[in-house]
Amino acid sequence: MFFNEEFETLPRVALEALQLKRLQSVLERIYSNVPFYKETFDSNGLKPSDISNLEDLQKLPFTTKQNMRDSYPYGLFAAPMDEIIRIHASSGTTGKPTVVGYTKKDISTWSELMARSFVAAGAHKGDIIHNAYGYGLFTGGLGAHYGAEQLGASVIPISGGNTKRQIMIMQDFGSTVLTCTPSYSLFMAEEAQAEGVDFKKLKLRVGIFGAEPWSEAMRHEIESKLNLSAIDIYGLSEIMGPGVAIECIEAKKGLHIWEDHFIPEIINPETGERLPEGERGELVITTITKQGIPLIRYRTRDITSLTYEPCICGRTHAIITRMSGRSDDMLIIRGVNVFPSQIEAILVGIEGIEPHYMLMIDRQGTLDTLTVQVEVSEHLFSDEIKVLQALARRVEKEIKDMLGVTCTAKLVEPKTIQRSEGKAKRVTDNRNLQ
Ligand code: DLL
C-alpha cells in the first residue's frame, strides 16, 4: 500500500533526474535569498550553475548546527517572514534553541510525507491514531497530527504525559495506532499492567516510534508487551521533523528516506569524505523542496549506513539502517535533546557550586533517569545540611526550567570528581541502547 504510489515507486533514473532538477532550483533560491549561502558559495568560488549533476553536490560545504546557531533565530530562512506560517525549535548546544520555519507549502509537504510514512507503517484511513508525541515547539506532535489528518485517519491529539488517562482513552476510544517515543510506550505498558489493563485486549495494531535511539531488543520487548507491530520512524527538526524516513511494515529492515525531497549522503565524521554504499558513518541530508529553511548538506550527527538495494515493499527510495549513535555528545533523555554544555552553562551560573560535574544516565524500568553530580564550593561544604539541600533543589529546578529535563542533583565534596588530562569524560550512560 502506498500513499503516493507514483512518487514512492519512481524508477531510480527518474528519481535522480527529479532530485537534480529540484537541487538546482533550491540552490538558485538560497543563493539569492540567504546571505549565509551566498557568502559560502562565493568564498568557495562556486555558483549554483556549477552543480550540473548529483555528484557535484560534494563540491558544496556542509551546513552545521553551529551555522544555525550563528544565524539565530531567522538568519537562514529563505522565505520572507510573511510567508512563514509555522515555527518549531529544538535544543541547540547552548541555551538557545535551533529555530526552523515552514511556509504553507512546507507544511503541506511535511503532511504528505508523514501520511506516506503512516501508510508505509501499515496505517490507513479509518485508523484511530493515538498521538502521544508532545505538541509544542517539538515537531513530533504536530508533525504526526497533520500527517494523520492528511491520511484521513482519526487523530487523538493526546500529547505526552498523564499516562493513566492515556490508557483509559486508548481503551475507550479504540485506538488502533500508537505514536510516541519507544521508551514512553514501555512506560505505558508498565502503567497498564499496574492498572490491570491487558494490552492484548486493546485494539492497537501498529506503533510508530522514534525521536530517540532504540534497539532491536527493545522492539521485541515493545511488540510483546503492547501486542502490536513496532515501526521505527526518523526525523529531525532542522530537516523537517518526523517522517524524514520510516520503516515499511513489509520488510521492517531499515528506513526508507523520502528521496524526492531529501538527498542523503554518508560521510566519515572525522574527514568529511563521502563513504560508499553500506558503510557506516554520519548521515548528511540536503533538502531539495523546502522553502522556509532549505539546508544544504546538513550534518545530522546521526550514525547510520545507506543502501539502494530494492525492497520487497516496492518503494524505490534508499534505505538507512537503524541509527546507532551520534558523532557528537548530544544526549536524548526521555525524548528531550540535551547537550552536556547546556547543563554546564546552568551549573556555572549557580553560586556555591563548582563547574566540575558528571552526568549519569540510567534506565530504571523503562524510564531514563539523569543524575547530575556536582562539586560544592569549599566555603559551602561545611555548611548545614539544609543549605546544601536547598542548593541541590535549585540545581534540579534550574535544569528542569531551562531544559525541560527532570534530574536528581547530588552534591559531592570539593575535588572529588575525577579531573581529566585530556578530553573530559562528563557522561556515564548506562542505558545500553545498542
Ligand atoms: O525527534 C523528530 C521526531 C519526532 C522524529 C517524532 C521521530 C518521531 P528533534 O527533536 O530535532 O526531532 O531530534 C532529532 O533525534 O537527530 C536523532 O539523533 C534523534 N532521533 C530521531 N528519530 C530517531 C530514531 C525529532 N528513530 C534527533 N532513532 C535526531 C534514533 C532518532 N534517533
Side-chain angles (χ1 to χ4, degrees):
M1 286 281 284
F2 303 101
F3 182 75
N4 183 341
E5 184 164 359
E6 183 193 347
F7 281 87
E8 290 178 54
T9 60
L10 265 189
R12 192 89 230 144
V13 176
L15 188 53
E16 287 182 0
L18 181 65
Q19 284 183 322
L20 180 61
K21 194 172 117 222
R22 290 180 164 178
L23 173 66
Q24 286 171 329
S25 133
V26 83
L27 293 177
E28 293 292 347
R29 183 182 169 90
I30 56 171
Y31 189 74
S32 14
N33 293 357
V34 185
F36 164 80
Y37 278 121
K38 179 167 187 332
E39 280 154 31
T40 313
F41 272 76
D42 290 349
S43 63
N44 284 280
L46 290 165
K47 289 259 171 304
S49 55
D50 291 330
I51 309 302
S52 54
N53 58 54
L54 289 176
E55 284 300 302
D56 286 344
L57 184 57
Q58 289 176 85
K59 292 182 183 163
L60 302 176
F62 300 114
T63 309
T64 62
K65 208 166 175 106
Q66 181 65 37
N67 296 139
M68 297 188 76
R69 216 177 110 197
D70 293 343
S71 14
Y72 177 83
Y74 304 138
L76 289 186
F77 285 17
M81 278 318 276
D82 66 359
E83 284 178 24
I84 299 290
I85 62 160
R86 178 97 65 80
I87 293 171
H88 281 284
S90 78
S91 307
T93 46
T94 63
K96 299 282 188 198
T98 306
V99 183
V100 287
Y102 304 73
T103 64
K104 207 167 193 165
K105 179 162 167 273
D106 291 336
I107 293 292
S108 120
T109 305
W110 187 12
S111 308
E112 180 191 326
L113 296 187
M114 262 314 295
R116 284 190 200 178
S117 301
F118 273 121
V119 174
H124 46 69
K125 206 171 152 55
D127 264 320
I128 298 180
I129 300 181
H130 187 102
N131 185 20
Y133 282 120
Y135 281 64
L137 281 179
F138 175 56
T139 51
L142 284 166
H145 184 105
Y146 273 61
E149 287 190 350
Q150 178 82 36
L151 173 64
S154 315
V155 56
I156 305 176
I158 186 126
S159 196
N162 204 339
T163 312
K164 283 200 176 86
R165 189 160 155 264
Q166 301 257 3
I167 291 160
M168 178 190 81
I169 286 188
M170 243 182 241
Q171 265 182 310
D172 296 351
F173 292 16
S175 312
T176 54
V177 176
L178 171 63
T179 53
C180 63
T181 58
S183 54
Y184 191 48
S185 78
L186 280 176
F187 185 60
M188 283 183 183
E190 237 175 40
E191 285 282 300
Q193 199 180 14
E195 296 281 302
V197 174
D198 182 1
F199 261 97
K200 295 212 166 55
K201 298 210 175 106
L202 300 192
K203 294 211 175 106
L204 286 178
R205 193 181 75 247
V206 177
I208 303 176
F209 305 118
E212 65 184 9
W214 54 312
S215 58
E216 246 348 90
M218 207 162 149
R219 186 200 316 258
H220 294 139
E221 195 180 337
I222 294 174
E223 292 192 330
S224 82
K225 288 197 168 146
L226 282 89
N227 191 37
L228 46 67
S229 187
I231 299 290
D232 193 3
I233 184 167
Y234 170 78
L236 62 167
S237 345
E238 294 91 319
I239 295 302
M240 180 175 84
V244 172
I246 183 120
E247 280 180 327
C248 58
I249 192 146
E250 292 90 339
K252 270 198 193 169
K253 233 177 166 197
L255 300 83
H256 291 280
I257 175 159
W258 301 120
E259 278 191 278
D260 51 338
H261 295 272
F262 310 111
I263 301 180
E265 299 170 78
I266 300 289
I267 62 158
N268 174 331
E270 308 295 328
T271 63
E273 264 170 67
R274 197 190 267 189
L275 294 175
E277 183 173 349
E279 272 188 41
R280 230 163 228 290
E282 181 181 331
L283 176 65
V284 167
I285 301 179
T286 298
T287 69
I288 49 176
T289 53
K290 265 208 316 185
Q291 298 182 326
I293 176 164
L295 294 177
I296 303 304
R297 305 193 83 200
Y298 183 71
R299 291 192 59 162
T300 68
R301 298 286 174 184
D302 291 313
I303 304 293
T304 178
S305 65
L306 190 63
T307 158
Y308 295 91
E309 274 174 28
C311 181
I312 50 166
C313 72
R315 287 177 185 81
T316 48
H317 299 229
I319 291 173
I320 51 177
T321 46
R322 189 186 272 289
M323 302 291 144
S324 66
R326 292 185 53 90
S327 69
D328 64 7
D329 57 355
M330 188 177 91
L331 303 163
I332 306 183
I333 301 169
R334 294 199 198 176
V336 183
N337 304 350
V338 185
F339 288 91
S341 54
Q342 291 177 300
I343 296 186
E344 183 173 304
I346 293 172
L347 297 177
V348 169
I350 300 179
E351 177 75 23
I353 56 175
E354 298 297 315
H356 297 291
Y357 64 93
M358 177 66 89
L359 309 179
M360 323 273 281
I361 307 159
D362 286 280
R363 181 156 278 175
Q364 275 176 8
T366 55
L367 282 188
D368 301 333
T369 58
L370 169 66
T371 308
V372 179
Q373 277 189 352
V374 61
E375 284 181 16
V376 186
S377 308
E378 293 276 5
H379 71 277
L380 261 189
F381 190 66
S382 50
D383 233 314
E384 35 176 320
I385 199 118
K386 255 202 304 204
V387 175
L388 294 177
Q389 277 174 347
L391 190 58
R393 297 299 85 79
R394 176 159 171 221
V395 169
E396 290 164 0
K397 183 171 183 319
E398 293 212 6
I399 290 177
K400 175 79 187 170
D401 290 351
M402 299 285 292
L403 307 177
V405 172
T406 306
C407 71
T408 307
K410 273 211 174 119
L411 304 183
V412 297
E413 285 181 44
K415 305 207 170 52
T416 50
I417 288 182
Q418 201 185 357
R419 305 294 190 257
S420 75
E421 288 170 349
K423 224 172 151 46
K425 181 171 169 13
R426 302 212 182 276
V427 180
T428 309
D429 196 336
N430 296 319
R431 287 176 296 184
N432 196 11
L433 292 170
Q434 300 310 317

